Amino acid sequence: MTLHRDVDPAVDPDDPARTGAVEPLETAAPAPPRSWDVATVGLPAPLAVVDLDAFDANAEDLVRRANGVPIRVASKSVRCRPLLRRALARPGFSGVMAYSVREASWLVDSGFEDVYVAYPSVDVLALSELALDGLAASQVTVTVDSLDHVRMLAALTRPHGLRVAVDVDSSLRVGPVHIGVRRSPVRSPEDAVAVARAASDAGLSVVGLMFYDAQIAGLPDTSPAVRFVKARSAASLVDRRRAVVRAVRDVADLEFVNGGGTGSVHLTALDPVVTEVAAGSGLYGPTLFDGYDAFSPRPAAAFALAVTRRPGPGFVTVSGGGYIASGPPGWERLPALFGGRDLRMVRREGAGEVQTPLQGKGARDLQIGDRAWFRHAKAGELCERFNALHLVSGTDLVETVPTYRGEGRNFG
Ligand SMILES: Cc1ncc(COP(=O)(O)O)c(C=O)c1O
């Protein structure tokens, strides 16, 4: 990953003025975020950009890592229909992994196909309406992980039924220790067969299985211990996944076996029982995906905040900024300053509700009205803060497109 560094002749050892190298200014393309400043000049901040060159390069890299296995794009990590379409227009991507039944119905209404809602829903109205809508019901698959889900769905959707997939817990267990997320209670082949069989008997079509390995896909390689746990987890998941898939295939006509996420695409795709992988975050390249050994997405999504005041020497304050990512709380969930400016957030304030103070030598170079660029810690959550994304390529503003939020849609 290349991060832009501010060129300050006083401190930059590579600066032509110090090294004597002659740099032809007219051919030196400004690096992000300078180029984004040019592309969005005159637009009011806060504003968010997606760099299409970086987005496309990230998509290409995901396809490379998936090694021929189709990628179902995780919509929660994109939250923008035009960019979902852009990913899906690319060979190697197929189908959407959605996070809400209402979202799935809305996507199908606007032409998306094969939408899998990967989290169980108890939205009674949305599920009943989906079952009554033949076209939508043929394109949408919902998640079950228990007999409770099966009973509820069967009661709501009778006599039409729905397409369902079983979520299989993919965490690592070492004795009593659980490493991974707390989601599905389905773990063994017997568990999965029991849910699949009950679903079929209740008039639901069991078309898929899903294995999301959060402790591999969502964990950066920060230490040898983490690498060890991830490797061990991947090895044990391969065996269990194979056994579950084989057992469920005996009782259901599976169309897909989904696995992985941005952080594990390259591993999951190696398993022949997996028919597709899921990925979304790798398209935007947020900061939580900076620390992986096997890949380095380019920062494609970012936002700019405007300097509105100077509290004192060494400080500037920007408007906005408190866009904290979900997950276990910590500094790594805050937006990160991007662009090499020597600035940091103030520990006692962090990223604020309406304004964010910044401190450091870089404050010297910033005037009121100037911008500072940031990256969000996670991918799609950025779109909950902005109605629009400015799509840029080099120094050009290509198009401005709405986020889900900008289309008046919020799916939780
Ligand atoms: C079920 C499921 N699959 C895949 C993913 C991976 O998504 P991403 O590639 O955006 O990390 C997630 C992320 O949380 C998930 O919940």
Side-chain angles (χ1 to χ4, degrees):
M1 182 175 56
T2 45
L3 286 181
H4 168 71
R5 290 185 307 145
D6 264 357
V7 179
D8 178 349
V11 295
D12 185 355
D14 299 330
D15 185 80
R18 287 171 63 99
T19 60
V22 178
E23 202 177 345
L25 280 177
E26 61 278 12
T27 59
R34 282 277 159 83
S35 56
W36 303 338
D37 268 325
V38 176
T40 61
V41 70
L43 295 174
L47 64 84
V49 299
V50 168
D51 185 314
L52 293 177
D53 305 324
F55 182 94
D56 290 346
N58 290 342
E60 195 53 50
D61 194 53
L62 284 167
V63 170
R64 179 190 63 77
R65 286 201 292 131
N67 198 23
V69 176
I71 302 171
R72 188 180 284 278
V73 61
S75 66
K76 74 173 182 63
S77 305
V78 179
R79 300 190 197 212
C80 169
R81 288 194 297 177
L83 288 175
L84 286 172
R85 286 198 190 97
R86 188 177 182 97
L88 286 165
R90 185 172 272 281
F93 282 82
S94 178
V96 177
M97 174 177 276
Y99 57 105
S100 139
V101 174
R102 280 169 200 269
E103 178 207 8
S105 298
W106 176 62
L107 290 176
V108 170
D109 278 350
S110 57
F112 287 84
E113 296 173 348
D114 183 13
V115 180
Y116 168 43
V117 184
Y119 314 89
S121 171
V122 292
D123 186 337
V124 169
L125 198 58
L127 287 163
S128 323
E129 283 175 4
L130 174 62
L132 288 174
D133 179 341
L135 169 68
S138 72
Q139 296 299 319
V140 174
T141 303
V142 301
T143 292
V144 293
D145 72 19
S146 62
L147 299 186
D148 287 340
H149 288 154
V150 167
R151 280 189 215 104
M152 184 199 68
L153 278 182
L156 284 176
T157 63
R158 213 169 271 130
H160 308 284
L162 270 184
R163 292 162 55 86
V164 300
V166 182
D167 179 2
V168 183
D169 177 37
S170 303
S171 62
L172 173 66
R173 298 267 173 84
V174 186
V177 179
H178 174 106
I179 302 173
V181 285
R182 300 280 184 179
R183 295 191 185 178
S184 173
V186 172
R187 216 176 144 77
S188 66
E190 296 75 27
D191 298 338
V193 165
V195 174
R197 198 172 260 144
S200 303
D201 291 349
L204 304 169
S205 310
V206 180
V207 298
L209 288 174
M210 185 200 38
F211 298 81
Y212 177 53
D213 50 354
Q215 74 284 3
I216 307 171
L219 213 56
D221 300 297
T222 46
S223 69
V226 168
R227 289 186 188 94
F228 174 77
V229 169
K230 286 173 71 166
R232 166 133 187 221
S233 181
S236 80
L237 181 56
V238 164
D239 293 337
R240 193 158 55 81
R241 189 162 50 204
R242 187 169 306 138
V244 172
V245 172
R246 189 182 301 133
V248 176
R249 282 205 185 276
D250 282 344
V251 298
D253 274 338
L254 293 179
E255 292 174 17
F256 67 84
V257 175
N258 182 284
T262 290
S264 66
V265 158
H266 52 292
L267 294 173
T268 311
L270 294 175
D271 186 345
V273 307
V274 169
T275 65
E276 60 175 47
V277 291
S281 301
L283 295 168
Y284 286 173
T287 62
L288 286 176
F289 283 86
D290 281 349
Y292 286 76
D293 290 342
F295 64 100
S296 301
R298 281 172 61 181
F303 59 93
L305 302 177
V307 175
T308 50
R309 59 207 323 196
R310 288 181 157 281
F315 289 89
V316 288
T317 297
V318 291
S319 175
Y323 317 147
I324 315 297
S326 58
W331 278 91
E332 75 285 358
R333 302 271 151 183
L334 268 61
L337 216 53
F338 184 46
R341 289 192 189 280
D342 183 0
L343 280 175
R344 59 194 178 281
M345 287 184 193
V346 177
R347 280 202 87 76
R348 281 181 186 279
E349 292 198 50
E353 185 180 357
V354 291
Q355 54 185 356
T356 300
L358 302 170
Q359 165 179 29
K361 283 194 195 133
R364 271 192 322 226
D365 315 325
L366 285 168
Q367 309 302 322
I368 289 190
D370 284 353
R371 295 164 172 180
W373 286 93
F374 296 80
R375 293 163 66 210
H376 202 277
K378 292 186 80 171
E381 290 180 32
L382 171 69
C383 295
E384 296 300 337
R385 294 293 184 163
F386 291 91
N387 285 334
L389 297 172
H390 300 292
L391 307 184
V392 302
S393 173
T395 53
D396 294 333
L397 174 59
V398 177
E399 199 183 350
T400 297
V401 296
T403 59
Y404 278 13
R405 173 75 64 168
E407 298 201 71
R409 307 286 169 156
N410 165 241
F411 301 107

